[in-house]
Amino acid sequence: MVCGMPSILAAGLPDRDEESMMTNLLELKDLRTRFHTPEGTIYAVNGVSFHIADGETLAIVGESGCGKSVTMMSMLRLIPIPPGEILSGSAIFQGKDLLQLSDRELEHIRGQCISMVFQEPMTSLNPVLTVGRQLTESLQVHLEMDKLQARGRAIELLDLVGIADPNNRLGDYPHQFSGGMRQRVMIAIALACNPNLLIADEPTTALDVTIQAQIVELVIRLRQQQGMAVIWVTHDLGVVAGLADRVVVMYSGYIVEEGDVFDIYNRPEHPYTQALLAALPRSDRRRENTRLKSIPGAPPNLLVEPSGCPFAPRCPLAAQDCRDANPVLSPVAPGHRIACWRGGDR
């Protein structure tokens, strides 16, 4: 297994040529995840496929409950089984299927080759262990550093993510850090082994706007320094405009649109993407027309087996064929696909 990057403290990496950028670091195909509960089966992820190139930033967006986080957790086999079940799919990372690896092989990849920053750092960090202990643990396990080497690297990592006086702060516990600082610690832990792929699952949700902007800028800077690929999972389309290269839009466990970030923002084709963008607050709106638009209706009941287009009950363009069958993702422009019977030129 080939993974890991050059030193994170290097001044920067040379620009990757077009050929290397076209190499898929990860390719997810037809992922289907279910949860079996006393109330019935939850159809959480329904045939999701996407890829991310080496060094690329991919944003996965959609409202809460659409399957974004479950897709990431399933891909890394972090969902509890039971009640969870991965019915089908493959996740090819550096030539190996993550869904078929042994637990031991997957443990080598998680943390060292693929790292994840979770949504709530206070519950992700162990409250009874110091930050230093949590930082050095992965360095000793994955990189086989001794205690002195691991401590030195931990100090470098905290400094890298902008935490002042890192030498002394290694002995602090998570509750002694602010929300933004805890998220920086989580990013430092995720970067400890120089991963090829960083997955950030709603990393700015619980933070105020100023701290959100700082975290986004931090990830952009670290991506440029390390050359790693990033999957940024969020419900907020406004966050990813200056962050992502491509965007995947999910709804009810399906991908409904994917494309270049410019196309998604300037030429959205799926009615759901259009509705999400219309709901964003914008500084260029006229004062007398500042009321935000909402999407009518309610998200679908995931306990009901999908049939037809999942967005049809809330879509102003829906017709009978939308209720009868769910369209597959089809191109409307180079690199731009939607799953809609009415969108594009159809």
Side-chain angles (χ1 to χ4, degrees), residues 241-308:
L243 175 69
D245 300 305
R246 288 188 303 114
V247 179
V248 165
V249 182
M250 288 188 65
Y251 183 81
S252 186
Y254 294 91
I255 292 178
V256 296
E257 185 162 7
E258 65 173 344
D260 177 88
V261 65
F262 179 87
D263 289 337
I264 294 295
Y265 277 86
N266 292 280
R267 291 187 292 271
E269 296 284 359
H270 196 282
Y272 177 61
T273 310
Q274 294 169 352
L276 283 179
L277 288 168
L280 284 176
R282 294 183 51 166
S283 60
D284 59 350
R285 284 182 173 146
R286 295 174 59 85
R287 183 177 295 275
E288 63 269 20
N289 187 31
T290 57
R291 185 170 182 175
L292 297 178
K293 295 182 180 180
S294 62
I295 303 175
N301 183 359
L302 297 181
L303 289 168
V304 178
E305 186 171 6
S307 64

Side-chain angles (χ1 to χ4, degrees), residues 82-219:
E85 180 186 11
I86 300 174
L87 288 184
S88 68
S90 63
I92 308 301
F93 177 78
Q94 294 185 335
K96 293 191 176 183
D97 188 354
L98 301 179
L99 302 183
Q100 300 300 323
L101 296 179
S102 67
D103 290 343
R104 186 178 182 86
E105 289 174 314
L106 194 58
E107 286 174 5
H108 173 77
I109 290 175
R110 290 195 302 235
Q112 183 169 359
C113 304
I114 302 175
S115 289
M116 192 163 179
V117 178
F118 295 94
Q119 184 171 152
E120 177 44 63
M122 198 56 201
T123 56
S124 300
L125 293 168
N126 191 323
V128 300
L129 297 179
T130 65
V131 162
R133 171 72 182 276
Q134 296 180 66
L135 262 169
T136 56
E137 183 178 25
S138 62
L139 293 168
Q140 291 176 289
V141 170
H142 290 297
L143 301 185
E144 299 181 349
M145 291 184 176
D146 60 33
K147 288 185 178 180
L148 186 60
Q149 290 173 320
R151 179 179 175 84
R153 188 61 171 277
I155 292 171
E156 292 176 347
L157 286 162
L158 289 184
D159 182 63
L160 182 71
V161 298
I163 293 181
D165 194 18
N167 184 46
N168 290 325
R169 302 234 61 181
L170 283 179
D172 289 344
Y173 291 86
H175 72 272
Q176 295 175 277
F177 291 78
S178 66
M181 288 296 104
R182 286 195 295 267
Q183 197 59 281
R184 289 173 184 266
V185 170
M186 285 296 300
I187 293 172
I189 293 173
L191 296 176
C193 297
N194 302 329
N196 301 80
L197 173 62
L198 176 69
I199 300 173
D201 186 11
E202 300 270 14
T204 60
T205 296
L207 306 177
D208 64 49
V209 174
T210 302
I211 304 301
Q212 283 185 20
Q214 292 176 4
I215 296 298
V216 170
E217 289 299 320
L218 173 62
V219 171

Side-chain angles (χ1 to χ4, degrees), residues 64-81:
S64 298
C66 73
K68 308 182 301 296
S69 295
V70 174
T71 297
M72 298 298 105
M73 300 285 278
S74 299
M75 186 175 71
L76 295 178
R77 284 167 40 198
L78 292 174
I79 63 169
I81 298 176

